[in-house]
Amino acid sequence: MSVLAWCGGDLIVNRNLVRLEGLAVFLLILFFYQENQFSWFTFTLLLLFPDISMMGYIRGTSVGALVYNFFHTYSVPIFLMILALTLQFDPLLMIAF
């Protein structure tokens, strides 16, 4: 029995939940950029940054997967947010969002 057949409809629910989470994070980031009057040019560049991480695959699949997964996690931005709030350093906060 395959895993997908065993999961049944739960797979679709989880996929939709992940998409909803991504939308909520995106809307929250838009709100914070607007409220803090951060640079929209920087926002656009940073929005593409996780896709640029695909270039890690030039060095091989294991390096590519490591770099790709590093840039597609919330733990790095959360760490940067905590650091920026602690140091009261707005440019780092802009990057974290």
Side-chain angles (χ1 to χ4, degrees):
M1 173 190 283
S2 77
V3 175
L4 293 178
W6 182 75
C7 289
D10 292 340
L11 184 65
I12 294 170
V13 172
N14 289 338
R15 186 179 309 144
N16 289 338
L17 189 59
V18 168
R19 288 179 181 164
L20 184 61
E21 175 190 17
L23 177 64
V25 168
F26 182 70
L27 293 175
L28 187 64
I29 290 169
L30 289 176
F31 172 76
F32 278 116
Y33 258 79
Q34 180 64 34
E35 286 296 309
N36 292 304
Q37 298 177 348
F38 289 151
S39 165
W40 289 106
F41 178 74
T42 304
F43 173 80
T44 306
L45 287 178
L46 293 173
L47 190 65
L48 299 173
F49 207 70
D51 294 329
I52 294 170
S53 69
M54 292 289 291
M55 296 187 75
Y57 281 100
I58 293 172
R59 302 284 291 159
T61 55
S62 60
V63 173
L66 181 69
V67 172
Y68 181 84
N69 289 334
F70 179 77
F71 282 100
H72 282 83
T73 181
Y74 290 129
S75 54
V76 174
I78 289 172
F79 172 75
L80 290 176
M81 268 189 259
I82 292 169
L83 188 62
L85 291 172
T86 302
L87 299 175
Q88 297 179 351
F89 189 58
D90 283 347
L92 184 59
L93 189 61
M94 181 173 54
I95 294 170
F97 280 118

